[in-house]
Amino acid sequence: MDLNGKVALVTGAAQGIGRCFAEALLKHGAKVALVDLNGSTGEACKEALDGEFGAACSLFITCDVGSEEQLKRAFKKTTDHFGRLDVVCNNAGVNNENDWEKTINVNLTSVIRGTYIALEYMSKETGGKGGVIVNVASLAERRDTVPTFQLVVCSEPTEVPL
């Protein structure tokens, strides 16, 4: 897929793998909506990327992906700002065994919700131009020696290819 001129939305984009996705997309000519809950880290990420790629190439949106309303608003802001949407990367994730409901909401529910919202915007059946959806999962289920990963494993099995 030629990414030049395409628009991507990446959740969990302020740091880690999400930031790497955003940088790779920008390097290949895409414009990127950086979606993250952490406002200060997200703004710092955007500022750093602006220095390398220009301010017009990215947009930072503070968003709790566990909130349906906020996630829908992030998609709308992206298309309002850039005029289209071609790539969605559902990358945000948490590991918090003390708040298992939040972990399930972010790691599983928001991925499913993000996929359906992406389809509303990109599906040719609903007037979109097509696109790509990337759902990121943890490899924690492969680490049977670390007990703290048990909740992550339970919340992400639907994302791991068979």
Side-chain angles (χ1 to χ4, degrees):
M1 174 182 204
D2 180 17
L3 293 172
N4 195 35
K6 303 291 186 187
V7 173
L9 180 149
V10 180
T11 66
Q15 58 191 350
I17 294 170
R19 182 172 174 158
C20 291
F21 275 126
E23 287 180 23
L25 289 160
L26 288 162
K27 284 179 184 174
H28 286 91
K31 295 181 178 179
V32 179
L34 309 161
V35 177
D36 205 286
L37 179 61
N38 189 326
S40 59
T41 304
E43 291 293 346
C45 174
K46 177 170 173 29
E47 186 176 323
L49 295 174
D50 286 353
E52 188 173 347
F53 302 103
C57 291
S58 67
L59 169 69
F60 174 66
I61 303 168
T62 303
C63 174
D64 175 357
V65 297
S67 163
E68 180 176 6
E69 180 183 323
Q70 288 186 38
L71 190 57
K72 284 182 174 182
R73 192 174 326 128
F75 275 81
K76 182 166 179 5
K77 283 182 181 179
T78 301
T79 57
D80 287 350
H81 185 82
F82 291 119
R84 62 185 295 159
L85 183 62
D86 305 287
V87 178
V88 172
C89 179
N90 290 306
N91 169 71
V94 296
N95 181 18
N96 183 345
E97 290 190 12
N98 294 321
D99 190 351
W100 63 268
E101 290 173 318
K102 178 179 181 178
T103 301
I104 296 295
N105 194 29
V106 171
N107 293 0
L108 180 59
T109 306
S110 76
V111 172
I112 295 167
R113 182 178 291 128
T115 299
Y116 277 108
I117 297 169
L119 288 171
E120 290 174 20
Y121 281 89
M122 298 188 307
S123 174
K124 291 179 181 178
E125 294 177 1
T126 58
K129 296 180 180 177
V132 174
I133 301 170
V134 178
N135 292 330
V136 178
S138 170
L139 290 176
E141 77 281 354
R142 307 261 194 272
R143 301 170 107 183
D144 58 353
T145 59
V146 185
T148 60
F149 287 110
Q150 292 174 2
L151 186 56
V152 173
V153 172
C154 293
S155 67
E156 294 188 349
T158 59
E159 299 173 48
V160 179
L162 299 175

